[in-house]
Structure formats: C-alpha cells, structure tokens
Amino acid sequence: MHAIGVDIGGTKIAVGVVDEDGAIIAKTKRKTKPQDPAGIDAAIADAVAELAADHEFHAVGLAAAGFVSSDQENVLFAPNIAWRDYPLATNVRALIGRDDVAVVVENDANAAGWAEFAFGAARDAKHMVLLTIGTGLGAALVVDGKLVRGAYGFAAELGHLRVVPNGHPCGCGLHGCWEQYASGSALTREARRAAMDRPVRAAGLLELAGGDATAITGPHVTQIAMDGDELGLELLAELGRWIGEGSASLAAALDPELFVIGGGVVAAGDLLLHPARKAFEANLPARGHRPIVPIVAAEMGNDAGIVGAADLARIASANR
C-alpha cells in the first residue's frame, strides 16, 4: 500500500514513493516557479507519472507551506508561492487522471511533524510538539495520537504567538511574533548585526562571509560555534533560549510529553539544544511539580515532508 508524498518548496518540489513503514523507495524532484501555480501543478503531475511508471500507489499527499483548508483540498494562502484560494488537490487530481487515487493537501509543517511522530523522534509518544527552525518557525501538534488541525485547518501557527510587545515586525502583519526571535532568520539577523557592531569579535563570521556582514548566514554561525568561536556560541545560545522559553509556555497550555526540534540549525546539536533545555526548565510554570519534558532533535531530516505527506494521504484514503 504505497503512497506518494510531495514536498512543495519555494525552489524545488521533492517527490517520493513511500511504503507503510515510512521508507522512501523511489524519489525524484522538479523545479518550482513560485509565481506559476499552474506550472507547479504540471510539475507535480509529471513527477508522479515518472514514479508511477515503476511503482503502484493509491494516494498522493501534497505538503504545502501555507494555510490549508479543513477539507484538505485548497491552499488558501501561501507566503512564498502565488496560491490564493487555490484548488491544488483538484488540479493535481485532474492532471493525474486516476479516479482510484486519493489526493490530499497538508500543511508542510504538519506533514513533517507527522513523519517525526509516526516514524522518527516521537514514534514512542502520543503527545508531541514539533518546532521547525527555518526561515520562520513552523510547528505541528499531535495530541493523543491525532494531528491537530483546528476548526478551520489553521492550528499550530505557533510561530505567530506574540512574545514581545511592539517587537520586530513580522510577515504576518503583527510585531513581536515568536518566529522573529526563534528562527533561522532571527539567528542570521542577530549575527549580521553583531558583525556590523563588533567586527573584531565577529572576525570568524566575517571571514566565512568574505568580509561582507550582509552575506552572513545561519550555517556560518553554526560552523564557527562548532569550532569554539565565542560569538557563535553566544548566538546559538540566544536562539536556544528563545526556543526554550517559548516551549515552556507551550507546556503550560498543551502538556506534551516531547518537544521535537527540526530545521537546518539543529545540526548544531547540543550547542542549540542545551540552552533550549536550560531555558525551558528555568521558565516552566510550577517547576518541581510537573515533569521536565524532553527537547530532542528531529530524525527525519529533509525527507520528513515527503514521508509525512504520503502517510497522511494513506490515512485519508483509508478513511474515505
């Protein structure tokens, strides 16, 4: 009972055939043209046709970065692709041309979170929060073994919890959202600011960026921190602090048994996770009277979106 998972990003579309154990048995990719939704539909259908030549499947899951309708048919809004009230499932279903194949759309963070819950770091848990530290702060919630989508399909937009009144402006239109402090973009912003304000102390960062503070990236911070650079360690610790403090507030609201942290910056390992755990414990309400919930690294890596989308499509197909 294989299914196909499609992870639609701003620059590429990754597509894979996934078995019931969450293993990818075949994979392909296509380029994304963010301003050409119809072209994305066609690219997805073409990739599915390529995989269908050698593999049977009965469901297709489309992981999309954006607000997905509660019926899992439409992308109502996406920040990086020109989807506005867009019938993604209907279009792809028509291009595939197979009535026996279920096609469903899922938020990309939900898909990644489900992959970690079903097959990855949270496979032994029933209550989990996934936080994906990327350009923004993506999230997924699993409560009592069920993915939480909310009444309208918009649940788990945790990156837009407001943590600093009148703080940094956010792409959502508000100020002070959590993702403005706990994201790869926040790490890059603070690293560039440090390089401009304290160039001598930021010599390691500037060297990696060719002397241009505006060219500094998150991986540069991780690289120097892993080499023991003091500024790099401080920057990762500050990011970890924001992750941990916010997670402590989430623990008060959701009472999960596990936090899973994903995204490229997790390559820093305990240089990020240890400060996050320390801040979590220090800010946990009623500390001493409730468990200290583990904060662990995600295990599924870049394949999480494909695997989660495929498995959720398989489940949706079985329930129809």
Side-chain angles (χ1 to χ4, degrees):
M1 299 293 287
H2 295 159
I4 288 181
V6 182
D7 189 2
I8 309 166
T11 59
K12 68 179 176 67
I13 302 166
V15 187
V17 180
V18 182
D19 69 16
E20 288 182 312
D21 297 319
I24 297 176
I25 59 176
K27 193 173 179 180
T28 189
K29 63 182 179 180
R30 297 292 187 273
K31 291 183 178 179
T32 304
K33 295 181 180 179
Q35 300 306 313
D36 181 15
I40 292 174
D41 299 340
I44 293 170
D46 184 65
V48 169
E50 176 188 330
L51 295 173
D54 297 310
H55 302 278
E56 292 291 332
F57 65 96
H58 71 285
V60 176
L62 308 173
F67 285 5
V68 175
S69 60
S70 58
D71 62 4
Q72 296 182 277
E73 288 283 321
N74 308 309
V75 183
L76 304 180
F77 168 78
N80 299 313
I81 294 176
W83 286 322
R84 302 293 185 270
D85 297 318
Y86 194 76
L88 181 61
T90 297
N91 292 354
V92 171
R93 190 179 297 116
L95 289 170
I96 291 174
R98 284 181 51 181
D99 294 336
D100 62 321
V101 172
V103 179
V104 298
V105 186
E106 187 59 77
N107 172 269
D108 62 339
N110 280 349
W114 185 258
E116 293 294 342
F117 172 74
F119 307 108
R123 57 188 172 272
D124 295 323
K126 289 187 177 180
H127 305 266
M128 176 211 77
V129 176
L130 170 82
L131 300 173
T132 300
I133 314 301
T135 302
L137 175 57
L141 305 176
V142 175
V143 175
D144 200 21
K146 297 180 180 180
L147 185 65
V148 177
R149 295 186 176 90
Y152 306 104
F154 304 158
E157 290 291 335
L158 303 181
H160 297 290
L161 296 173
R162 298 180 72 191
V163 297
V164 178
N166 301 314
H168 291 297
C170 183
C172 74
L174 299 178
H175 289 74
C177 292
W178 191 19
E179 74 171 34
Q180 293 305 313
Y181 304 87
S183 65
S185 295
L187 177 65
T188 299
R189 181 192 66 227
E190 295 306 313
R192 291 175 179 177
R193 178 180 296 174
M196 292 175 184
D197 293 345
R198 296 169 288 170
V200 174
R201 192 160 186 257
L205 274 175
L206 287 167
E207 182 180 355
L208 290 177
D212 180 3
T214 64
I216 291 172
T217 66
H220 289 154
V221 178
T222 298
Q223 183 175 338
I224 65 166
M226 294 179 75
D227 289 337
D229 182 271
E230 184 178 341
L231 176 60
L233 292 169
E234 286 184 11
L235 289 165
L236 283 178
E238 180 69 359
L239 175 59
R241 181 181 70 81
W242 278 108
I243 293 169
E245 288 186 1
S247 296
S249 295
L250 290 178
L254 301 171
D255 192 30
E257 62 186 289
L258 186 69
F259 285 92
V260 179
I261 311 299
V265 74
V266 174
D270 282 344
L271 298 181
L272 175 73
L273 296 179
H274 178 71
R277 293 169 183 140
K278 183 177 179 181
F280 176 84
E281 184 170 354
N283 290 275
L284 186 65
R287 183 177 52 162
H289 302 281
R290 62 189 304 160
I292 304 300
V293 179
I295 298 176
V296 303
E299 295 179 0
M300 300 298 292
N302 292 332
D303 290 332
I306 293 175
V307 173
D311 199 57
L312 289 168
R314 181 185 293 109
I315 293 169
S317 175
N319 291 336
R320 291 184 177 182

